[in-house]
PDB file of all heavy atoms in Angstrom:
ATOM      1  N   ALA A 128      -8.027 -11.816   6.207  1.00 94.00           N
ATOM      2  CA  ALA A 128      -7.145 -10.642   6.093  1.00 94.00           C
ATOM      3  C   ALA A 128      -8.005  -9.444   5.694  1.00 94.00           C
ATOM      4  O   ALA A 128      -7.957  -8.955   4.574  1.00 94.00           O
ATOM      5  CB  ALA A 128      -6.034 -10.882   5.083  1.00 94.00           C
ATOM      6  N   ILE A 129      -8.831  -8.998   6.636  1.00 93.00           N
ATOM      7  CA  ILE A 129      -9.767  -7.911   6.357  1.00 93.00           C
ATOM      8  C   ILE A 129      -9.236  -6.590   6.923  1.00 93.00           C
ATOM      9  O   ILE A 129      -8.390  -6.579   7.807  1.00 93.00           O
ATOM     10  CB  ILE A 129     -11.171  -8.218   6.916  1.00 93.00           C
ATOM     11  CG1 ILE A 129     -11.138  -8.368   8.430  1.00 93.00           C
ATOM     12  CG2 ILE A 129     -11.737  -9.478   6.275  1.00 93.00           C
ATOM     13  CD1 ILE A 129     -12.511  -8.588   9.053  1.00 93.00           C
ATOM     14  N   SER A 130      -9.723  -5.511   6.355  1.00 92.00           N
ATOM     15  CA  SER A 130      -9.305  -4.164   6.761  1.00 92.00           C
ATOM     16  C   SER A 130      -7.786  -3.991   6.719  1.00 92.00           C
ATOM     17  O   SER A 130      -7.165  -3.626   7.718  1.00 92.00           O
ATOM     18  CB  SER A 130      -9.835  -3.826   8.159  1.00 92.00           C
ATOM     19  OG  SER A 130     -11.245  -3.906   8.201  1.00 92.00           O
ATOM     20  N   PRO A 131      -7.144  -4.245   5.557  1.00 93.00           N
ATOM     21  CA  PRO A 131      -5.694  -4.038   5.465  1.00 93.00           C
ATOM     22  C   PRO A 131      -5.338  -2.571   5.691  1.00 93.00           C
ATOM     23  O   PRO A 131      -6.097  -1.685   5.307  1.00 93.00           O
ATOM     24  CB  PRO A 131      -5.356  -4.487   4.048  1.00 93.00           C
ATOM     25  CG  PRO A 131      -6.628  -4.327   3.288  1.00 93.00           C
ATOM     26  CD  PRO A 131      -7.717  -4.636   4.263  1.00 93.00           C
ATOM     27  N   HIS A 132      -4.195  -2.329   6.312  1.00 90.00           N
ATOM     28  CA  HIS A 132      -3.850  -0.956   6.674  1.00 90.00           C
ATOM     29  C   HIS A 132      -2.382  -0.624   6.508  1.00 90.00           C
ATOM     30  O   HIS A 132      -1.995   0.529   6.603  1.00 90.00           O
ATOM     31  CB  HIS A 132      -4.242  -0.695   8.132  1.00 90.00           C
ATOM     32  CG  HIS A 132      -3.744  -1.751   9.059  1.00 90.00           C
ATOM     33  ND1 HIS A 132      -2.428  -1.850   9.434  1.00 90.00           N
ATOM     34  CD2 HIS A 132      -4.393  -2.788   9.657  1.00 90.00           C
ATOM     35  CE1 HIS A 132      -2.281  -2.892  10.241  1.00 90.00           C
ATOM     36  NE2 HIS A 132      -3.454  -3.481  10.389  1.00 90.00           N
ATOM     37  N   HIS A 133      -1.514  -1.618   6.299  1.00 92.00           N
ATOM     38  CA  HIS A 133      -0.092  -1.370   6.067  1.00 92.00           C
ATOM     39  C   HIS A 133       0.339  -2.144   4.824  1.00 92.00           C
ATOM     40  O   HIS A 133      -0.116  -3.274   4.610  1.00 92.00           O
ATOM     41  CB  HIS A 133       0.761  -1.840   7.240  1.00 92.00           C
ATOM     42  CG  HIS A 133       0.816  -0.892   8.391  1.00 92.00           C
ATOM     43  ND1 HIS A 133      -0.273  -0.594   9.157  1.00 92.00           N
ATOM     44  CD2 HIS A 133       1.846  -0.182   8.912  1.00 92.00           C
ATOM     45  CE1 HIS A 133       0.078   0.261  10.115  1.00 92.00           C
ATOM     46  NE2 HIS A 133       1.361   0.530   9.981  1.00 92.00           N
ATOM     47  N   ILE A 134       1.234  -1.541   4.050  1.00 94.00           N
ATOM     48  CA  ILE A 134       1.750  -2.198   2.850  1.00 94.00           C
ATOM     49  C   ILE A 134       3.205  -1.794   2.664  1.00 94.00           C
ATOM     50  O   ILE A 134       3.589  -0.658   2.955  1.00 94.00           O
ATOM     51  CB  ILE A 134       0.891  -1.833   1.609  1.00 94.00           C
ATOM     52  CG1 ILE A 134       1.406  -2.531   0.347  1.00 94.00           C
ATOM     53  CG2 ILE A 134       0.840  -0.332   1.417  1.00 94.00           C
ATOM     54  CD1 ILE A 134       0.488  -2.361  -0.855  1.00 94.00           C
ATOM     55  N   ALA A 135       4.029  -2.730   2.217  1.00 94.00           N
ATOM     56  CA  ALA A 135       5.440  -2.446   1.946  1.00 94.00           C
ATOM     57  C   ALA A 135       5.896  -3.344   0.802  1.00 94.00           C
ATOM     58  O   ALA A 135       5.338  -4.430   0.598  1.00 94.00           O
ATOM     59  CB  ALA A 135       6.295  -2.688   3.186  1.00 94.00           C
ATOM     60  N   ILE A 136       6.883  -2.882   0.064  1.00 94.00           N
ATOM     61  CA  ILE A 136       7.416  -3.669  -1.052  1.00 94.00           C
ATOM     62  C   ILE A 136       8.872  -3.979  -0.780  1.00 94.00           C
ATOM     63  O   ILE A 136       9.612  -3.143  -0.240  1.00 94.00           O
ATOM     64  CB  ILE A 136       7.208  -2.934  -2.394  1.00 94.00           C
ATOM     65  CG1 ILE A 136       7.511  -3.865  -3.568  1.00 94.00           C
ATOM     66  CG2 ILE A 136       8.013  -1.657  -2.469  1.00 94.00           C
ATOM     67  CD1 ILE A 136       6.902  -3.418  -4.874  1.00 94.00           C
ATOM     68  N   SER A 137       9.293  -5.197  -1.111  1.00 94.00           N
ATOM     69  CA  SER A 137      10.656  -5.642  -0.811  1.00 94.00           C
ATOM     70  C   SER A 137      11.669  -4.869  -1.650  1.00 94.00           C
ATOM     71  O   SER A 137      11.344  -4.340  -2.720  1.00 94.00           O
ATOM     72  CB  SER A 137      10.783  -7.142  -1.074  1.00 94.00           C
ATOM     73  OG  SER A 137      10.555  -7.427  -2.450  1.00 94.00           O
ATOM     74  N   PRO A 138      12.918  -4.794  -1.182  1.00 92.00           N
ATOM     75  CA  PRO A 138      13.941  -4.047  -1.915  1.00 92.00           C
ATOM     76  C   PRO A 138      14.160  -4.535  -3.340  1.00 92.00           C
ATOM     77  O   PRO A 138      14.469  -3.737  -4.233  1.00 92.00           O
ATOM     78  CB  PRO A 138      15.205  -4.251  -1.070  1.00 92.00           C
ATOM     79  CG  PRO A 138      14.704  -4.547   0.299  1.00 92.00           C
ATOM     80  CD  PRO A 138      13.420  -5.292   0.106  1.00 92.00           C
ATOM     81  N   ASP A 139      13.982  -5.834  -3.587  1.00 92.00           N
ATOM     82  CA  ASP A 139      14.164  -6.347  -4.947  1.00 92.00           C
ATOM     83  C   ASP A 139      12.915  -6.192  -5.804  1.00 92.00           C
ATOM     84  O   ASP A 139      12.913  -6.527  -6.992  1.00 92.00           O
ATOM     85  CB  ASP A 139      14.612  -7.816  -4.931  1.00 92.00           C
ATOM     86  CG  ASP A 139      13.583  -8.764  -4.312  1.00 92.00           C
ATOM     87  OD1 ASP A 139      12.441  -8.328  -4.018  1.00 92.00           O
ATOM     88  OD2 ASP A 139      13.926  -9.942  -4.098  1.00 92.00           O
ATOM     89  N   GLY A 140      11.829  -5.671  -5.210  1.00 92.00           N
ATOM     90  CA  GLY A 140      10.602  -5.428  -5.958  1.00 92.00           C
ATOM     91  C   GLY A 140       9.798  -6.662  -6.289  1.00 92.00           C
ATOM     92  O   GLY A 140       8.811  -6.586  -7.025  1.00 92.00           O
ATOM     93  N   ARG A 141      10.140  -7.812  -5.719  1.00 93.00           N
ATOM     94  CA  ARG A 141       9.480  -9.066  -6.087  1.00 93.00           C
ATOM     95  C   ARG A 141       8.382  -9.504  -5.132  1.00 93.00           C
ATOM     96  O   ARG A 141       7.657 -10.456  -5.406  1.00 93.00           O
ATOM     97  CB  ARG A 141      10.524 -10.180  -6.198  1.00 93.00           C
ATOM     98  CG  ARG A 141      11.535  -9.950  -7.301  1.00 93.00           C
ATOM     99  CD  ARG A 141      12.555 -11.068  -7.359  1.00 93.00           C
ATOM    100  NE  ARG A 141      13.544 -10.843  -8.406  1.00 93.00           N
ATOM    101  CZ  ARG A 141      14.584 -11.627  -8.626  1.00 93.00           C
ATOM    102  NH1 ARG A 141      14.773 -12.704  -7.860  1.00 93.00           N
ATOM    103  NH2 ARG A 141      15.446 -11.359  -9.593  1.00 93.00           N
ATOM    104  N   SER A 142       8.260  -8.835  -3.989  1.00 94.00           N
ATOM    105  CA  SER A 142       7.259  -9.223  -2.992  1.00 94.00           C
ATOM    106  C   SER A 142       6.583  -7.996  -2.411  1.00 94.00           C
ATOM    107  O   SER A 142       7.209  -6.943  -2.268  1.00 94.00           O
ATOM    108  CB  SER A 142       7.909 -10.019  -1.849  1.00 94.00           C
ATOM    109  OG  SER A 142       8.566 -11.159  -2.334  1.00 94.00           O
ATOM    110  N   ILE A 143       5.305  -8.157  -2.068  1.00 96.00           N
ATOM    111  CA  ILE A 143       4.543  -7.110  -1.397  1.00 96.00           C
ATOM    112  C   ILE A 143       4.025  -7.700  -0.095  1.00 96.00           C
ATOM    113  O   ILE A 143       3.432  -8.790  -0.085  1.00 96.00           O
ATOM    114  CB  ILE A 143       3.359  -6.634  -2.257  1.00 96.00           C
ATOM    115  CG1 ILE A 143       3.855  -6.017  -3.562  1.00 96.00           C
ATOM    116  CG2 ILE A 143       2.487  -5.635  -1.487  1.00 96.00           C
ATOM    117  CD1 ILE A 143       2.748  -5.724  -4.555  1.00 96.00           C
TER     118      ILE A 143
END
Side-chain angles (χ1 to χ4, degrees):
I129 62 176
S130 302
H132 50 75
H133 279 66
I134 181 172
I136 191 160
S137 63
D139 63 8
R141 296 179 181 176
S142 303
I143 298 171

